[in-house]
Amino acid sequence: MQAMTTIGRNDLQQLLASCPSLLLLDVLPQNSYKEYHIRGAINAPFDHRFDSEVSALCPDKSQTIVIYGMNFECPIATQALQRLGELGYENLFHYEPGKVDWKAALLPVEQGPAVRNSLEIEQADKEQRFLFLLSLTQAPLFDLLQL
């Protein structure tokens, strides 16, 4: 198993600035991620789908990955890092202070779910158009004429 490196806020800022291919993973449950997360982070909750999600997100085992959880006392990030090491990932970093520290320092956070790629954007757009068309078909014809 590959050893992980624990980093602080300044280290994370430097990695974000110097490593464009860095994968920043929020391993907390989706509701926590939606509440707020570090800008650019992808949610990969540490649950029964973790292995397959990470494999899909990062097939390159040498890619730089930073994992974070809630704070210093959050065991989820440590468990996720251990699992990534078992899966053969090599460049692992643990932002141990977590998202609480990041937000307390007034650094950029986002809210809500993040769309991961253009395929998901396209799918979401299709679903939204379908729902709009469906709502039009449910409206009385008279109401449609007034649109």
Side-chain angles (χ1 to χ4, degrees):
M1 182 178 85
Q2 177 68 30
M4 67 175 169
T5 303
T6 301
I7 60 173
R9 185 184 325 126
N10 293 337
D11 299 320
L12 178 55
Q13 287 177 296
Q14 288 175 357
L15 276 171
L16 289 169
S18 66
C19 185
S21 65
L22 175 122
L23 182 61
L24 181 60
L25 293 181
D26 180 319
V27 294
L28 296 167
Q30 190 176 27
N31 61 343
S32 175
Y33 178 82
K34 284 181 180 180
E35 184 180 332
Y36 76 94
H37 53 273
I38 296 173
R39 183 174 29 188
I42 295 174
N43 189 216
F46 189 64
D47 59 19
H48 66 282
R49 295 171 300 194
F50 182 74
D51 292 6
S52 60
E53 283 190 28
V54 171
S55 293
L57 287 169
C58 185
D60 178 5
K61 305 267 182 180
S62 65
Q63 183 172 351
T64 302
I65 301 174
V66 176
I67 301 282
Y68 72 88
M70 188 63 72
N71 55 30
F72 284 105
E73 298 171 358
C74 180
I76 296 172
T78 304
Q79 294 167 359
L81 279 163
Q82 181 178 353
R83 183 65 188 141
L84 288 175
E86 292 167 359
L87 293 171
Y89 288 91
E90 302 167 4
N91 296 314
L92 303 174
F93 295 88
H94 181 196
Y95 175 47
E96 194 175 27
K99 71 180 195 172
V100 169
D101 173 72
W102 190 265
K103 188 175 182 182
L106 303 177
L107 292 167
V109 296
E110 298 173 324
Q111 294 179 324
V115 177
R116 291 188 184 146
N117 58 42
S118 59
L119 225 122
E120 289 182 16
I121 293 170
E122 185 179 318
Q123 182 63 30
D125 186 46
K126 284 180 184 176
E127 289 172 8
Q128 189 171 3
R129 284 183 288 176
F130 174 76
L131 290 175
F132 175 72
L133 289 174
L134 185 61
S135 67
L136 285 178
T137 62
Q138 300 300 317
L141 183 57
F142 180 75
D143 290 344
L144 289 175
L145 294 174
Q146 292 180 342
L147 291 176

Short mmCIF file of all heavy atoms in Angstrom, two decimals, residues 70-114:
data_model
loop_
_atom_site.label_atom_id
_atom_site.label_comp_id
_atom_site.label_asym_id
_atom_site.label_seq_id
_atom_site.Cartn_x
_atom_site.Cartn_y
_atom_site.Cartn_z
N MET A 70 -14.53 16.32 6.46
CA MET A 70 -15.08 17.47 7.16
C MET A 70 -14.02 18.27 7.91
O MET A 70 -13.93 19.48 7.77
CB MET A 70 -16.16 16.98 8.15
CG MET A 70 -16.93 18.10 8.81
SD MET A 70 -17.90 19.10 7.67
CE MET A 70 -19.22 18.00 7.24
N ASN A 71 -13.20 17.56 8.73
CA ASN A 71 -12.21 18.23 9.57
C ASN A 71 -11.19 17.21 10.07
O ASN A 71 -11.17 16.07 9.62
CB ASN A 71 -12.90 18.94 10.74
CG ASN A 71 -13.77 18.00 11.56
OD1 ASN A 71 -13.51 16.81 11.66
ND2 ASN A 71 -14.83 18.53 12.13
N PHE A 72 -10.34 17.63 11.01
CA PHE A 72 -9.30 16.75 11.56
C PHE A 72 -9.87 15.46 12.15
O PHE A 72 -9.22 14.43 12.13
CB PHE A 72 -8.51 17.47 12.66
CG PHE A 72 -7.52 18.47 12.15
CD1 PHE A 72 -7.78 19.82 12.24
CD2 PHE A 72 -6.33 18.05 11.57
CE1 PHE A 72 -6.86 20.75 11.77
CE2 PHE A 72 -5.40 18.97 11.10
CZ PHE A 72 -5.67 20.33 11.20
N GLU A 73 -11.06 15.52 12.69
CA GLU A 73 -11.64 14.38 13.40
C GLU A 73 -12.45 13.46 12.49
O GLU A 73 -13.04 12.49 12.96
CB GLU A 73 -12.52 14.88 14.55
CG GLU A 73 -11.73 15.67 15.58
CD GLU A 73 -12.61 16.35 16.61
OE1 GLU A 73 -13.85 16.25 16.52
OE2 GLU A 73 -12.05 16.99 17.50
N CYS A 74 -12.48 13.74 11.21
CA CYS A 74 -13.30 12.98 10.26
C CYS A 74 -12.57 11.71 9.83
O CYS A 74 -11.55 11.79 9.13
CB CYS A 74 -13.63 13.86 9.06
SG CYS A 74 -14.65 13.04 7.84
N PRO A 75 -13.09 10.54 10.19
CA PRO A 75 -12.40 9.29 9.81
C PRO A 75 -12.64 8.86 8.37
O PRO A 75 -11.91 8.03 7.84
CB PRO A 75 -13.01 8.27 10.78
CG PRO A 75 -14.39 8.78 11.04
CD PRO A 75 -14.26 10.29 11.03
N ILE A 76 -13.65 9.43 7.72
CA ILE A 76 -14.02 8.99 6.37
C ILE A 76 -12.88 9.20 5.38
O ILE A 76 -12.58 8.32 4.57
CB ILE A 76 -15.31 9.71 5.90
CG1 ILE A 76 -16.48 9.31 6.79
CG2 ILE A 76 -15.61 9.40 4.45
CD1 ILE A 76 -17.75 10.10 6.52
N ALA A 77 -12.23 10.35 5.44
CA ALA A 77 -11.15 10.64 4.49
C ALA A 77 -9.99 9.67 4.68
O ALA A 77 -9.42 9.18 3.70
CB ALA A 77 -10.68 12.08 4.64
N THR A 78 -9.65 9.37 5.91
CA THR A 78 -8.56 8.43 6.18
C THR A 78 -8.90 7.04 5.64
O THR A 78 -8.06 6.38 5.02
CB THR A 78 -8.29 8.36 7.70
OG1 THR A 78 -8.00 9.68 8.17
CG2 THR A 78 -7.12 7.45 8.01
N GLN A 79 -10.14 6.62 5.84
CA GLN A 79 -10.57 5.32 5.32
C GLN A 79 -10.54 5.29 3.79
O GLN A 79 -10.12 4.30 3.18
CB GLN A 79 -11.97 4.99 5.84
CG GLN A 79 -12.02 4.78 7.33
CD GLN A 79 -13.45 4.78 7.88
OE1 GLN A 79 -14.42 4.96 7.13
NE2 GLN A 79 -13.58 4.60 9.18
N ALA A 80 -10.97 6.37 3.17
CA ALA A 80 -10.98 6.45 1.71
C ALA A 80 -9.54 6.41 1.17
O ALA A 80 -9.27 5.73 0.18
CB ALA A 80 -11.70 7.71 1.25
N LEU A 81 -8.64 7.13 1.82
CA LEU A 81 -7.24 7.11 1.39
C LEU A 81 -6.63 5.73 1.52
O LEU A 81 -5.89 5.27 0.64
CB LEU A 81 -6.43 8.12 2.21
CG LEU A 81 -6.56 9.54 1.72
CD1 LEU A 81 -6.09 10.52 2.77
CD2 LEU A 81 -5.75 9.73 0.45
N GLN A 82 -6.94 5.07 2.60
CA GLN A 82 -6.44 3.71 2.79
C GLN A 82 -6.94 2.80 1.66
O GLN A 82 -6.19 2.02 1.09
CB GLN A 82 -6.87 3.16 4.15
CG GLN A 82 -6.35 1.77 4.42
CD GLN A 82 -6.75 1.26 5.80
OE1 GLN A 82 -7.31 1.99 6.62
NE2 GLN A 82 -6.45 0.02 6.05
N ARG A 83 -8.21 2.95 1.32
CA ARG A 83 -8.78 2.13 0.26
C ARG A 83 -8.13 2.44 -1.09
O ARG A 83 -7.83 1.54 -1.88
CB ARG A 83 -10.30 2.35 0.18
CG ARG A 83 -10.97 1.50 -0.86
CD ARG A 83 -10.85 0.01 -0.51
NE ARG A 83 -11.33 -0.79 -1.62
CZ ARG A 83 -10.78 -1.93 -2.02
NH1 ARG A 83 -9.75 -2.43 -1.35
NH2 ARG A 83 -11.25 -2.58 -3.03
N LEU A 84 -7.88 3.72 -1.37
CA LEU A 84 -7.21 4.09 -2.62
C LEU A 84 -5.82 3.48 -2.69
O LEU A 84 -5.38 3.02 -3.75
CB LEU A 84 -7.14 5.61 -2.77
CG LEU A 84 -8.45 6.31 -3.08
CD1 LEU A 84 -8.26 7.82 -3.06
CD2 LEU A 84 -9.02 5.86 -4.41
N GLY A 85 -5.12 3.48 -1.58
CA GLY A 85 -3.80 2.85 -1.53
C GLY A 85 -3.90 1.36 -1.83
O GLY A 85 -3.09 0.81 -2.57
N GLU A 86 -4.91 0.71 -1.27
CA GLU A 86 -5.12 -0.72 -1.53
C GLU A 86 -5.44 -0.97 -3.00
O GLU A 86 -5.10 -2.03 -3.54
CB GLU A 86 -6.26 -1.25 -0.65
CG GLU A 86 -5.94 -1.29 0.82
CD GLU A 86 -7.16 -1.53 1.71
OE1 GLU A 86 -8.29 -1.64 1.18
OE2 GLU A 86 -6.97 -1.58 2.93
N LEU A 87 -6.10 0.00 -3.65
CA LEU A 87 -6.44 -0.14 -5.07
C LEU A 87 -5.25 0.18 -5.99
O LEU A 87 -5.37 0.03 -7.20
CB LEU A 87 -7.62 0.77 -5.42
CG LEU A 87 -8.96 0.40 -4.78
CD1 LEU A 87 -10.00 1.49 -5.03
CD2 LEU A 87 -9.46 -0.95 -5.29
N GLY A 88 -4.14 0.63 -5.41
CA GLY A 88 -2.93 0.86 -6.19
C GLY A 88 -2.65 2.29 -6.59
O GLY A 88 -1.73 2.55 -7.37
N TYR A 89 -3.42 3.25 -6.08
CA TYR A 89 -3.15 4.65 -6.40
C TYR A 89 -1.88 5.09 -5.68
O TYR A 89 -1.63 4.71 -4.54
CB TYR A 89 -4.35 5.53 -6.03
CG TYR A 89 -5.50 5.32 -6.98
CD1 TYR A 89 -6.48 4.38 -6.73
CD2 TYR A 89 -5.57 6.04 -8.18
CE1 TYR A 89 -7.52 4.15 -7.63
CE2 TYR A 89 -6.61 5.83 -9.08
CZ TYR A 89 -7.58 4.88 -8.79
OH TYR A 89 -8.59 4.66 -9.69
N GLU A 90 -1.07 5.91 -6.37
CA GLU A 90 0.27 6.21 -5.91
C GLU A 90 0.48 7.60 -5.33
O GLU A 90 1.26 7.76 -4.40
CB GLU A 90 1.26 6.02 -7.07
CG GLU A 90 1.22 4.63 -7.66
CD GLU A 90 1.94 4.54 -8.99
OE1 GLU A 90 2.54 5.54 -9.42
OE2 GLU A 90 1.90 3.46 -9.60
N ASN A 91 -0.15 8.61 -5.90
CA ASN A 91 0.09 10.00 -5.48
C ASN A 91 -1.09 10.53 -4.69
O ASN A 91 -1.92 11.29 -5.20
CB ASN A 91 0.36 10.88 -6.71
CG ASN A 91 1.62 10.47 -7.43
OD1 ASN A 91 2.64 10.26 -6.80
ND2 ASN A 91 1.53 10.33 -8.73
N LEU A 92 -1.14 10.13 -3.43
CA LEU A 92 -2.30 10.45 -2.58
C LEU A 92 -1.94 11.50 -1.54
O LEU A 92 -0.91 11.40 -0.87
CB LEU A 92 -2.78 9.18 -1.87
CG LEU A 92 -3.16 8.01 -2.77
CD1 LEU A 92 -3.49 6.79 -1.93
CD2 LEU A 92 -4.33 8.39 -3.66
N PHE A 93 -2.83 12.46 -1.40
CA PHE A 93 -2.67 13.51 -0.41
C PHE A 93 -3.95 13.63 0.41
O PHE A 93 -5.04 13.46 -0.12
CB PHE A 93 -2.36 14.85 -1.09
CG PHE A 93 -1.05 14.86 -1.82
CD1 PHE A 93 -0.97 14.44 -3.14
CD2 PHE A 93 0.11 15.26 -1.17
CE1 PHE A 93 0.24 14.43 -3.81
CE2 PHE A 93 1.33 15.26 -1.83
CZ PHE A 93 1.40 14.84 -3.15
N HIS A 94 -3.77 13.92 1.68
CA HIS A 94 -4.90 14.07 2.59
C HIS A 94 -4.91 15.49 3.13
O HIS A 94 -4.02 15.88 3.89
CB HIS A 94 -4.76 13.07 3.75
CG HIS A 94 -5.88 13.11 4.73
ND1 HIS A 94 -5.78 12.55 5.97
CD2 HIS A 94 -7.12 13.65 4.67
CE1 HIS A 94 -6.92 12.72 6.63
NE2 HIS A 94 -7.73 13.41 5.85
N TYR A 95 -5.91 16.26 2.71
CA TYR A 95 -6.09 17.60 3.27
C TYR A 95 -6.86 17.40 4.57
O TYR A 95 -8.08 17.46 4.62
CB TYR A 95 -6.83 18.50 2.28
CG TYR A 95 -7.16 19.86 2.83
CD1 TYR A 95 -6.20 20.62 3.50
CD2 TYR A 95 -8.42 20.40 2.67
CE1 TYR A 95 -6.52 21.87 4.01
CE2 TYR A 95 -8.74 21.65 3.16
CZ TYR A 95 -7.79 22.37 3.83
OH TYR A 95 -8.10 23.62 4.33
N GLU A 96 -6.11 17.10 5.61
CA GLU A 96 -6.69 16.68 6.89
C GLU A 96 -7.57 17.73 7.56
O GLU A 96 -8.58 17.37 8.16
CB GLU A 96 -5.57 16.22 7.83
CG GLU A 96 -6.06 15.47 9.03
CD GLU A 96 -4.93 14.92 9.87
OE1 GLU A 96 -3.82 15.50 9.85
OE2 GLU A 96 -5.17 13.92 10.55
N PRO A 97 -7.23 19.03 7.49
CA PRO A 97 -8.11 20.01 8.13
C PRO A 97 -9.51 20.05 7.54
O PRO A 97 -10.45 20.49 8.17
CB PRO A 97 -7.38 21.34 7.92
CG PRO A 97 -5.97 20.97 7.66
CD PRO A 97 -6.00 19.64 6.98
N GLY A 98 -9.65 19.60 6.30
CA GLY A 98 -10.96 19.44 5.68
C GLY A 98 -11.64 20.71 5.25
O GLY A 98 -11.11 21.81 5.33
N LYS A 99 -12.87 20.51 4.81
CA LYS A 99 -13.60 21.63 4.22
C LYS A 99 -13.99 22.70 5.24
O LYS A 99 -14.16 23.85 4.89
CB LYS A 99 -14.81 21.14 3.44
CG LYS A 99 -15.96 20.59 4.25
CD LYS A 99 -17.05 20.16 3.29
CE LYS A 99 -18.36 19.92 3.97
NZ LYS A 99 -19.43 19.69 3.00
N VAL A 100 -14.08 22.33 6.50
CA VAL A 100 -14.38 23.33 7.54
C VAL A 100 -13.25 24.36 7.61
O VAL A 100 -13.49 25.56 7.68
CB VAL A 100 -14.60 22.63 8.91
CG1 VAL A 100 -14.64 23.64 10.04
CG2 VAL A 100 -15.88 21.80 8.87
N ASP A 101 -12.01 23.88 7.56
CA ASP A 101 -10.84 24.76 7.59
C ASP A 101 -10.82 25.66 6.36
O ASP A 101 -10.56 26.86 6.44
CB ASP A 101 -9.56 23.92 7.67
CG ASP A 101 -8.31 24.76 7.53
OD1 ASP A 101 -7.98 25.49 8.48
OD2 ASP A 101 -7.66 24.68 6.46
N TRP A 102 -11.08 25.07 5.20
CA TRP A 102 -11.06 25.82 3.94
C TRP A 102 -12.07 26.96 3.98
O TRP A 102 -11.77 28.10 3.64
CB TRP A 102 -11.36 24.87 2.79
CG TRP A 102 -11.14 25.43 1.43
CD1 TRP A 102 -12.07 26.00 0.62
CD2 TRP A 102 -9.91 25.47 0.70
NE1 TRP A 102 -11.50 26.38 -0.57
CE2 TRP A 102 -10.17 26.07 -0.54
CE3 TRP A 102 -8.60 25.05 0.98
CZ2 TRP A 102 -9.18 26.26 -1.51
CZ3 TRP A 102 -7.63 25.23 0.02
CH2 TRP A 102 -7.92 25.84 -1.20
N LYS A 103 -13.28 26.64 4.40
CA LYS A 103 -14.34 27.66 4.45
C LYS A 103 -14.05 28.72 5.51
O LYS A 103 -14.29 29.91 5.29
CB LYS A 103 -15.69 27.00 4.73
CG LYS A 103 -16.86 27.96 4.62
CD LYS A 103 -18.18 27.25 4.78
CE LYS A 103 -19.33 28.23 4.61
NZ LYS A 103 -20.62 27.59 4.80
N ALA A 104 -13.51 28.30 6.66
CA ALA A 104 -13.17 29.25 7.73
C ALA A 104 -12.12 30.25 7.27
O ALA A 104 -12.10 31.39 7.74
CB ALA A 104 -12.69 28.50 8.97
N ALA A 105 -11.27 29.84 6.34
CA ALA A 105 -10.23 30.73 5.81
C ALA A 105 -10.79 31.61 4.68
O ALA A 105 -10.03 32.35 4.04
CB ALA A 105 -9.06 29.91 5.30
N LEU A 106 -12.09 31.52 4.44
CA LEU A 106 -12.78 32.31 3.41
C LEU A 106 -12.25 32.02 2.00
O LEU A 106 -12.22 32.91 1.15
CB LEU A 106 -12.71 33.80 3.73
CG LEU A 106 -13.28 34.22 5.09
CD1 LEU A 106 -13.10 35.71 5.32
CD2 LEU A 106 -14.75 33.83 5.20
N LEU A 107 -11.86 30.78 1.78
CA LEU A 107 -11.42 30.36 0.46
C LEU A 107 -12.63 29.89 -0.34
O LEU A 107 -13.67 29.57 0.23
CB LEU A 107 -10.35 29.27 0.60
CG LEU A 107 -9.04 29.82 1.20
CD1 LEU A 107 -8.12 28.70 1.63
CD2 LEU A 107 -8.34 30.74 0.21
N PRO A 108 -12.52 29.81 -1.67
CA PRO A 108 -13.69 29.55 -2.51
C PRO A 108 -14.35 28.18 -2.27
O PRO A 108 -13.69 27.15 -2.29
CB PRO A 108 -13.13 29.60 -3.93
CG PRO A 108 -11.77 30.17 -3.84
CD PRO A 108 -11.31 30.01 -2.45
N VAL A 109 -15.65 28.25 -2.03
CA VAL A 109 -16.47 27.03 -1.91
C VAL A 109 -17.63 27.15 -2.89
O VAL A 109 -17.95 28.24 -3.37
CB VAL A 109 -16.99 26.81 -0.47
CG1 VAL A 109 -15.86 26.57 0.49
CG2 VAL A 109 -17.87 27.95 -0.01
N GLU A 110 -18.23 26.01 -3.19
CA GLU A 110 -19.41 25.96 -4.05
C GLU A 110 -20.51 25.24 -3.29
O GLU A 110 -20.23 24.50 -2.36
CB GLU A 110 -19.10 25.18 -5.33
CG GLU A 110 -18.02 25.79 -6.18
CD GLU A 110 -17.63 24.89 -7.35
OE1 GLU A 110 -17.61 23.65 -7.21
OE2 GLU A 110 -17.32 25.47 -8.41
N GLN A 111 -21.73 25.44 -3.75
CA GLN A 111 -22.87 24.75 -3.18
C GLN A 111 -23.58 23.98 -4.27
O GLN A 111 -23.49 24.34 -5.44
CB GLN A 111 -23.83 25.73 -2.52
CG GLN A 111 -23.24 26.42 -1.32
CD GLN A 111 -24.20 27.41 -0.71
OE1 GLN A 111 -24.95 28.07 -1.41
NE2 GLN A 111 -24.17 27.51 0.60
N GLY A 112 -24.27 22.94 -3.87
CA GLY A 112 -25.04 22.16 -4.81
C GLY A 112 -24.21 21.10 -5.50
O GLY A 112 -23.00 21.06 -5.36
N PRO A 113 -24.89 20.26 -6.26
CA PRO A 113 -24.17 19.19 -6.96
C PRO A 113 -23.38 19.76 -8.12
O PRO A 113 -23.78 20.73 -8.74
CB PRO A 113 -25.29 18.27 -7.45
CG PRO A 113 -26.48 19.15 -7.57
CD PRO A 113 -26.33 20.20 -6.49
N ALA A 114 -22.25 19.17 -8.39
CA ALA A 114 -21.43 19.58 -9.53
C ALA A 114 -21.67 18.63 -10.68
O ALA A 114 -21.78 17.43 -10.49
CB ALA A 114 -19.96 19.58 -9.14
#
